[in-house]
Amino acid sequence: MIDVHARLTALDLPALVDRLSFRGDDVPAALDAAEMTSRSEGDLARVQFLVDRVLPRVGDFVVDWDDNPLQETDEDAAHFGIGVLPLLALLVTAPEVAAFHRSRGVSSDVSWRSLSDLGQQAWVHRQTYGAFGLHTYPWMRIGWSGALYWLGRLQFNVQQVDDAWVISTHIPATGPLTPASVDDSFRWARGFFADHFADYPTTDFHCSSWLLDPELAVVLPPESNLARFQQRWRLYGEAMRGDDDVLFFTFFRRGDVDVATLPRDTTLQRAIVDRIQAGGHWSVWQGRIPQSSLTALS
């Protein structure tokens, strides 16, 4: 059993926060939250409860979205800020996830790069709400299961889709999505999961995202990075309404959004706003890429 108090007051906690790529104001905010929590038996008990729910799921890649081990209460969110206690539970259990990575032969560099999604998501929260927190804590359960790896430009995890294992593909908000960087990530992922997770055999890459909406290829120049990314995928299934995803991932906005107030600095931003203002919508699609076709990607 993890001693949460000892982890939150450890002398090497600042080094762990740095290793997890917290940045800017999130660094002192994380350390302050740890220090404040360590002084309250009740708050420690809340974090301990979350820790004890997270740890048994390390190594379990079947995600039950109706049973979130990091679920916080409305009272916790109001008192500490959205997702702060789940964030602390993830912070203090990062070494256990790193240990699972090692057990699979994953290098330290890849391990900690992958775990640095915690700092990335704290940054996303600050862009969205202007405060310290982690509203994306449901997403973090994938990383803390030990299934998610950040390989170059893209993130990947082994996931069960339609009763088969696939390499699920995710696009963090970290810069241009150039074709060369995407190709490199796909090729790295194919070898990585074959080497370290051969017991989860996969044949396809899978993605579920608004970036797969065919309308992107209509409104963006065909040579644009996003249009070329969309065109890689063989789409299937039914499209789902994706306006909320588009507004969040493009503009860092949640909830009711007055699209008339959104910036229109890029071709993508203008296309998104124009379509919604005209009464149209954006969609989330599912797509697959056979791993055998990687040599044909460009």
Side-chain angles (χ1 to χ4, degrees), residues 19-21 111-121 150:
R19 203 167 195 185
L20 293 170
S21 294
S111 174
W112 287 103
R113 172 61 170 159
S114 302
L115 292 170
S116 74
D117 194 43
L118 183 56
Q120 169 75 9
Q121 294 303 317
W150 201 331

Side-chain angles (χ1 to χ4, degrees), residues 16 23 62 67 72 78 86 128 183 190 196 222 236 264 281:
L16 179 60
R23 65 188 90 165
V62 179
D67 178 27
E72 66 179 351
T128 307
D183 285 348
R190 180 175 61 176
H196 301 291
Y236 72 99
R264 300 170 56 89
H281 298 283

Side-chain angles (χ1 to χ4, degrees), residues 227-288:
R228 294 181 69 177
F229 183 80
Q230 188 278 324
Q231 292 166 358
R232 293 172 181 265
W233 299 87
R234 176 175 58 82
L235 304 183
Y236 72 99
E238 297 294 327
M240 298 174 288
R241 182 68 62 84
D243 292 347
D244 289 346
D245 282 30
V246 170
L247 294 174
F248 172 56
F249 288 110
T250 305
F251 299 100
F252 296 109
R253 300 291 183 90
R254 291 287 200 192
D256 294 331
V257 178
D258 181 358
V259 295
T261 67
L262 296 174
R264 300 170 56 89
D265 301 328
T266 68
T267 301
L268 177 63
Q269 289 174 344
R270 291 190 291 273
I272 289 171
V273 171
D274 288 347
R275 186 173 181 81
I276 294 175
Q277 286 184 322
H281 298 283
W282 295 93
S283 299
V284 170
W285 284 85
Q286 292 190 83
R288 287 180 180 259

Side-chain angles (χ1 to χ4, degrees), residues 278-298:
H281 298 283
W282 295 93
S283 299
V284 170
W285 284 85
Q286 292 190 83
R288 287 180 180 259
I289 297 175
Q291 294 176 37
S292 59
S293 71
L294 284 181
T295 55
L297 294 178
S298 60

Side-chain angles (χ1 to χ4, degrees), residues 53-288:
R53 285 175 55 80
V54 167
L55 285 180
R57 290 167 170 80
V58 177
D60 182 359
F61 298 165
V62 179
V63 176
D64 179 359
W65 292 107
D66 294 325
D67 178 27
N68 186 354
L70 289 165
Q71 186 64 49
E72 66 179 351
T73 66
D74 291 341
E75 182 179 349
D76 289 340
H79 182 59
F80 292 95
I82 300 170
V84 171
L85 292 188
L87 184 152
L88 292 178
L90 293 166
L91 178 63
V92 301
T93 52
E96 278 64 36
V97 186
F100 172 78
H101 292 170
R102 288 195 300 275
S103 77
R104 286 283 180 161
V106 176
S107 71
S108 178
D109 286 347
V110 169
S111 174
W112 287 103
R113 172 61 170 159
S114 302
L115 292 170
S116 74
D117 194 43
L118 183 56
Q120 169 75 9
Q121 294 303 317
W123 176 81
V124 167
H125 183 93
R126 188 173 289 277
Q127 304 312 300
T128 307
Y129 293 106
F132 178 66
L134 187 74
H135 75 282
T136 57
Y137 60 83
W139 152 257
M140 294 303 301
R141 64 189 303 184
I142 298 177
W144 259 241
S145 74
L148 184 78
Y149 296 90
W150 201 331
L151 306 174
R153 177 62 183 86
L154 303 174
Q155 295 168 312
F156 304 92
N157 67 285
V158 285
Q159 177 182 343
Q160 214 167 19
V161 175
D162 301 328
D163 298 322
W165 291 100
V166 297
I167 301 177
S168 190
T169 306
H170 311 279
I171 308 95
T174 56
L177 196 64
T178 65
S181 67
V182 172
D183 285 348
D184 288 345
S185 285
F186 279 143
R187 294 190 180 102
W188 188 354
R190 180 175 61 176
F192 178 88
F193 286 101
D195 290 343
H196 301 291
F197 295 94
D199 47 333
Y200 295 89
T202 64
T203 58
D204 288 356
F205 288 94
H206 174 270
C207 187
S208 177
S209 174
W210 69 274
L211 288 176
L212 272 56
D213 190 333
E215 289 299 322
L216 282 175
V218 175
V219 300
L220 296 177
E223 70 276 8
S224 70
N225 290 337
L226 294 185
R228 294 181 69 177
F229 183 80
Q230 188 278 324
Q231 292 166 358
R232 293 172 181 265
W233 299 87
R234 176 175 58 82
L235 304 183
Y236 72 99
E238 297 294 327
M240 298 174 288
R241 182 68 62 84
D243 292 347
D244 289 346
D245 282 30
V246 170
L247 294 174
F248 172 56
F249 288 110
T250 305
F251 299 100
F252 296 109
R253 300 291 183 90
R254 291 287 200 192
D256 294 331
V257 178
D258 181 358
V259 295
T261 67
L262 296 174
R264 300 170 56 89
D265 301 328
T266 68
T267 301
L268 177 63
Q269 289 174 344
R270 291 190 291 273
I272 289 171
V273 171
D274 288 347
R275 186 173 181 81
I276 294 175
Q277 286 184 322
H281 298 283
W282 295 93
S283 299
V284 170
W285 284 85
Q286 292 190 83
R288 287 180 180 259

